[in-house]
Amino acid sequence: GDTYPPGSTFKLVTAAAALESGLAPSTPLPAPDTYTLPGTRTSLENYGGEKCSATGAMTLDDALRISCNTAFAQLGVQLGADALRTQAEAFGFDTDLSIPLTVAHSRFPADGAIDEAQTALSAIGQYDVRVTPLQVAMLAATIANGGVEMKPYLVSTVRDQDLTVVDTTSPTALGRPISASTASSLRDMMLNVVDNGTGTAAQIPGVQVAGKTGTAQTTDGAAPHAWFTAFAPATNPKIAVAVVV
């Protein structure tokens, strides 16, 4: 399959790494209007040049709710490339997967390959980070499943010409990339995205939806990729989705 820059959907990975390191949703983060990438003269802005905070600071929860680029870029530098890569790999980046079709590798830049400026961009799903839509759906599903990542599969039952069952596929856990408490915090943060943040268009009457938006810049002159990933109902999940346009 194809891979794409994930944009702000990758902030779920960055937020997971932050929570796993001991930060809380209420942890304050710097959130300036612009952020000069370390070692460069390049200024990073928030989407559409918008302000994240009148005070220049906001909580991790609020930074995800409005998808603040400057806050997450600085958070990525604070955590470091190794922590981001470790968390991405825990979710299945750079890992072989068969469903039983072979799935393209989602990838985070290789060990030692990026500097702090590139780490900042990677933390918001830009630079050389690439994902499959399946990987993003698995990310949402893992959060929905309390931190346990399940192996996806296309075929549940194989039958012969007489419709006798020849083989069945049983649900199989791939691992636990995040703790149950981190998954719970991310679920609440994703609920806030849909209830009060960038994902309000995904609201469904009578159903709690936990989601995350993303906009990924590609090449000059080309329209960005638009992303949305979610699961619902938030407290008793039945479905996880990832969409890229």
Side-chain angles (χ1 to χ4, degrees), residues 2-3 13 16 25 36 41 57-58 66-67 84 89 97-98 127 135 146 170 173 222 240-241:
D2 292 333
T3 60
V13 178
T36 302
R41 296 180 181 179
M58 64 195 324
I66 66 167
S67 205
L84 294 178
E89 290 176 350
L97 181 63
S98 170
Y127 188 54
Q135 179 69 67
S170 299
V241 301

Side-chain angles (χ1 to χ4, degrees), residues 24 32 58 64 67 76 81 123 130 155 165 179 206 220 226 241 244:
M58 64 195 324
L64 189 77
S67 205
R130 295 292 183 272
V155 179
V165 174
S179 67
D220 289 341
V241 301
V244 59

Side-chain angles (χ1 to χ4, degrees), residues 148-208:
V148 177
E149 187 169 46
M150 304 300 292
K151 181 179 179 179
Y153 57 88
L154 287 173
V155 179
S156 61
T157 304
V158 178
R159 299 175 184 267
D160 65 14
Q161 66 270 26
D162 298 322
L163 300 184
T164 301
V165 174
V166 176
D167 190 23
T168 59
T169 304
S170 299
T172 303
L174 288 175
R176 177 180 279 281
I178 53 175
S179 67
S181 61
T182 292
S184 178
S185 294
L186 287 171
R187 178 200 63 204
D188 291 345
M189 292 164 69
M190 292 172 71
L191 272 170
N192 208 11
V193 169
V194 176
D195 289 346
N196 306 291
T198 58
T200 55
Q203 293 175 2
I204 300 173
V207 180
Q208 283 190 309

